């Protein structure tokens, strides 16, 4: 049974980082490497691709790693 607490600790760490990313990005202006720009509306945790974001006025979801510039 020692694996359960470790798994719970990993899950808690993932959620903590996800919420930190939400705080840092939601409502902020960003420019992506492909030139897409706008305000981050929502973040998604995608099993296959990791953290993705949606931008107001643009259909689709992009990997967070494609952020070139972000409002501070």
């Amino acid at each position: 049974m020692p694996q359960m607490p470790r798994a719970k600790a990993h899950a808690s760490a993932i959620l903590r980082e996800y919420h930190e990313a939400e705080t840092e990005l939601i409502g902020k202006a960003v420019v992506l490497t492909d030139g897409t720009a706008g305000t981050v509306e929502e973040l998604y945790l995608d099993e296959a691709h990791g953290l993705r974001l949606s931008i107001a006025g643009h259909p689709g979801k992009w990997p967070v790693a494609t952020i070139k510039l972000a409002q501070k």
Side-chain angles (χ1 to χ4, degrees):
M1 290 265 213
Q3 296 256 346
M4 185 54 103
R6 178 175 250 181
K8 189 173 184 178
H10 287 300
S12 293
I14 291 168
L15 289 174
R16 195 170 32 256
E17 291 295 326
Y18 174 77
H19 290 301
E20 187 175 325
E22 279 185 321
T23 301
E24 289 179 17
L25 292 172
I26 300 290
K28 302 284 174 73
V30 295
V31 178
L32 304 181
T33 55
D34 68 358
T36 304
T39 303
V40 177
E41 284 188 313
E42 202 166 342
L43 289 181
Y44 304 90
L45 191 54
D46 183 329
E47 287 180 14
H49 302 101
L51 199 57
R52 299 177 76 78
L53 59 86
S54 64
I55 297 176
H58 298 280
K61 298 175 188 170
W62 292 267
V64 170
T66 62
I67 295 175
K68 184 176 179 179
L69 298 170
Q71 176 186 16
K72 296 195 180 205

